[in-house]
Amino acid sequence: NLKALADNKDYVDICELRLDLLSPSEVAKAADFPSMVDIPVILTLRRVSDGGKCTLQEKARRSLLIDTMKNGGFSYVDIEDDVKKSDVEEAAHSLGMKVIRSYHDFEGVPADIFSRVHSLASRGDVAKIAVTPHNTADVMTLFRINEELKDVPKIIIGMGEWGVATRILYKKMGSILTFGSNGKAVAPGMISARELKLLYRADQLNDNTGIYGIVGNPVMHSLSPQIHNPGFHKIHYNAVYVPFLSESIRSFLTLAEMLRMRGFSVTVPFKVDVVKYLGNITREVKQIGSCNTVVRVPNMWKGTNTDYYGFIHPIEKEIDDGRIKSALVIGAGGAAKAIVWALKMRTVKVMIVNRTKSKADELARLYGVGSDSLDNISQYEGKVDLVVQATNMGLHPYEDVNPAEKFHFSGKEIAYDIVYKPKYTKFLLAAEKAGCSLKFGWDMLMEQGKLQFESFTGYHYPKDIEISM
Ligand code: ATR
């Protein structure tokens, strides 16, 4: 525990000693723990029914807590909602400690959550609620607690992936603190103390902090928080960028309005669905039919598409030079659509090949380009300047798949893969072996992110920011 704390000392201002997670020999020394660390300590002995490991009888459990506290030094003791006996509280108060009254729900969010917080607060110095949201409405309920119970000292935590925003925006929720892990993935949705402090700067957020984010399902793997948060920090822009898991764009927009969000990114599967909720869209959004960037303008949301720009920017020079006049696009999904549109705009001649030929035909008809089955891909060998891998094959967990396996590069083509992780996909490795020059999904990702950052802030994305996968 001391080692974990030492490793994280720059990221934590308070820590919790979980007696139930210690070995018997560590428990014997626990009373001295506060004297070994220089931050406040919360003492907790969690029962199995509340997600802990303590199997002691209730009386013995309370005795162990009192015994551990008696040397003084602890700042808080955590005692559960249903504990009626007041011996722990009396001991704590006599030692000048504060009592956290806690309630856990690993299944959901209780219907009586407001009155629960109120009653917890009346029986302790701080009310702690750790519950499990399962949808956007649950998350909104947690954010609303502070509207109703603003002056109650509290800690409100949404557990699991749905609760991520409640941990990052803990100040917005009126919580006096939030919990971060020591870097190990202890539970879904639990962010490390390091990320909370260095990436999200959760402890620096205030009433003026602009809230931005990304909505998707799934969303936790997204690299966008790693792009936008350091960007905000570098230009001293008071804002935070948070991942939001959502079941629908419609429910997310209710939350976004409640949080007065200033803008958000949209990812799979909502890029098409979001368009109908936007009051103002750009020509690209209209023509591509999908939107990845939304900003708040007076009384409405405005949508733009930076995906197409992210794609075209890395090959802009080659198009201008006339090195790219024709392209073979593999795939006919959402990503391919923006790519074909972008190439068409730049008057590049496009041929689409797809596993399901009818989808290639449909996309080709829309933009007036050629189409064929992926099975015929070798027919285009030596005939195109650019080959774009625009499916999600190659992306983890499909690293071993190269949809263009049958295609033999001549070495003169430029090969471009939209997959950014891994950087060198099987498709790009095959192209490199043949002597092709390569374009990476990583650069596409960064370019769309930078333009998105400009839409959000009105400023250029700062230079010299290191982003790692
Ligand atoms: P995205 O928005 O990432 O483009 P999508 O709309 O689901 O995702 O499209 C996925 C693309 O990857 C499609 O072109 C799909 O081909 P089908 O239209 O035949 O489904 C392509 N794809 C998926 N798995 C594939 C595989 N194993 N081999 C070749 N193409 C594949």
Side-chain angles (χ1 to χ4, degrees):
N1 282 289
L2 286 169
K3 164 97 171 63
L5 195 58
D7 291 346
N8 287 278
K9 75 173 174 15
D10 294 340
Y11 323 126
V12 295
D13 305 305
I14 182 166
C15 65
E16 179 178 51
L17 184 67
R18 283 278 301 270
L19 277 183
D20 56 300
L21 303 180
L22 301 184
S23 66
S25 66
E26 288 172 322
V27 170
K29 289 185 282 184
D32 298 328
F33 186 77
S35 65
M36 298 178 210
V37 300
D38 49 13
I39 51 174
V41 185
I42 302 169
L43 179 65
T44 303
L45 179 50
R46 198 65 83 216
R47 301 173 298 203
V48 173
S49 57
D50 291 301
K53 293 230 165 12
C54 177
T55 50
L56 291 174
Q57 291 291 325
E58 189 51 19
K59 193 157 181 241
R61 185 175 81 102
R62 293 202 313 276
S63 298
L64 180 55
L65 275 173
I66 294 169
D67 235 29
T68 309
M69 288 171 356
K70 68 175 185 282
N71 291 357
F74 286 98
S75 300
Y76 294 91
V77 64
D78 180 313
I79 190 96
E80 295 77 3
D81 189 23
D82 60 333
V83 176
K84 301 263 178 340
K85 286 260 191 271
S86 57
D87 47 358
V88 175
E89 273 148 303
E90 282 159 18
H93 284 146
S94 73
L95 288 159
M97 295 167 61
K98 289 193 168 165
V99 175
I100 298 174
R101 272 281 176 175
S102 64
Y103 172 80
H104 299 83
D105 187 337
F106 294 94
E107 303 294 323
V109 175
D112 61 349
I113 190 156
F114 291 88
S115 58
R116 242 173 222 286
V117 177
H118 203 66
S119 109
L120 288 168
S122 68
R123 296 168 57 220
D125 303 300
V126 177
K128 176 182 172 188
I129 288 257
V131 294
T132 312
H134 288 297
N135 52 45
T136 305
D138 285 347
V139 175
M140 288 176 65
T141 300
L142 299 183
F143 274 100
R144 269 205 201 100
I145 293 173
N146 198 40
E147 286 173 13
E148 309 259 334
L149 302 163
K150 196 157 183 62
D151 298 323
V152 174
K154 56 190 170 302
I155 303 166
I156 310 292
I157 305 241
M159 296 185 284
E161 285 200 16
W162 285 93
V164 166
T166 69
R167 294 182 190 264
I168 298 170
L169 301 175
Y170 77 96
K171 289 206 154 174
K172 177 97 193 154
M173 312 204 49
S175 292
I176 59 165
L177 58 85
T178 192
F179 290 81
S181 74
N182 64 6
K184 300 189 184 102
V186 278
M190 184 115 170
I191 307 171
S192 70
R194 184 191 155 88
E195 274 197 326
L196 282 170
K197 184 98 172 182
L198 296 189
L199 181 64
Y200 296 105
R201 297 181 191 272
D203 58 331
Q204 310 276 316
L205 309 189
N206 55 37
D207 288 345
N208 298 326
T209 303
I211 302 175
Y212 295 85
I214 177 162
V215 56
N217 192 341
V219 76
M220 285 316 291
H221 64 285
S222 168
L223 277 175
S224 295
Q226 260 100 298
I227 297 176
H228 293 290
N229 285 305
F232 292 153
H233 181 60
K234 185 101 185 210
I235 65 164
H236 305 289
Y237 190 79
N238 183 8
V240 63
Y241 184 97
V242 182
F244 288 94
L245 183 64
S246 195
E247 69 279 40
S248 74
I249 202 75
R250 192 190 167 132
S251 51
F252 171 74
L253 286 173
T254 324
L255 174 64
E257 281 170 27
M258 177 185 165
L259 294 177
R260 296 178 189 282
M261 287 182 72
R262 296 201 205 145
F264 56 90
S265 315
V266 187
T267 189
V268 176
F270 302 127
K271 287 187 187 190
V272 173
D273 202 32
V274 71
V275 177
K276 61 174 177 281
Y277 297 98
L278 305 172
N280 184 330
I281 53 174
T282 54
R283 183 184 64 144
E284 312 86 78
V285 172
K286 194 166 168 52
Q287 294 186 357
I288 302 167
S290 90
C291 163
N292 74 325
T293 308
V294 177
V295 291
R296 189 76 205 178
V297 293
N299 301 320
M300 64 173 89
W301 296 104
K302 178 182 176 187
T304 59
N305 184 314
T306 70
D307 283 334
Y308 90 91
Y309 169 86
F311 169 75
I312 214 79
H313 189 266
I315 52 172
E316 196 99 63
K317 193 165 168 296
E318 288 85 345
I319 294 175
D320 288 345
D321 291 352
R323 262 202 75 196
I324 298 178
K325 291 202 182 78
S326 59
L328 181 66
V329 175
I330 303 156
K337 198 171 174 192
I339 288 167
V340 174
W341 183 84
L343 290 168
K344 185 85 196 324
M345 278 295 116
R346 301 302 315 267
T347 64
V348 174
K349 189 166 169 259
V350 178
M351 172 60 71
I352 305 168
V353 289
N354 194 48
R355 181 179 62 180
T356 310
K357 183 167 180 298
S358 58
K359 279 179 70 185
D361 294 342
E362 202 182 315
L363 185 55
R365 244 192 328 270
L366 192 64
Y367 295 129
V369 301
S371 59
D372 205 338
S373 161
L374 179 60
D375 287 336
N376 297 333
I377 191 168
S378 52
Q379 288 186 16
Y380 302 94
E381 286 169 8
K383 293 184 187 151
V384 289
D385 305 322
L386 172 72
V387 184
V388 185
Q389 196 303 106
T391 78
N392 47 7
M393 292 296 106
L395 179 69
H396 177 78
Y398 306 109
E399 293 97 331
D400 291 334
V401 185
N402 171 10
E405 200 114 56
K406 287 197 215 144
F407 187 88
H408 295 99
F409 291 96
S410 73
K412 294 202 185 75
E413 304 88 350
I414 295 172
Y416 196 158
D417 199 328
I418 67 162
V419 169
Y420 64 84
K421 191 178 184 174
K423 182 174 181 184
Y424 285 86
T425 56
K426 278 192 89 177
F427 169 80
L428 287 181
L429 288 171
E432 187 179 46
K433 209 166 161 201
C436 298
S437 66
L438 310 182
K439 298 286 173 183
F440 299 97
W442 178 260
D443 296 316
M444 174 175 166
L445 175 79
M446 288 306 298
E447 289 307 326
Q448 69 76 26
K450 286 179 188 175
L451 189 64
Q452 197 166 64
F453 185 88
E454 282 182 31
S455 303
F456 289 159
T457 64
Y459 295 98
H460 286 307
Y461 192 74
K463 292 194 170 45
D464 308 326
I465 291 188
E466 279 281 322
I467 292 156
S468 51
M469 282 196 214

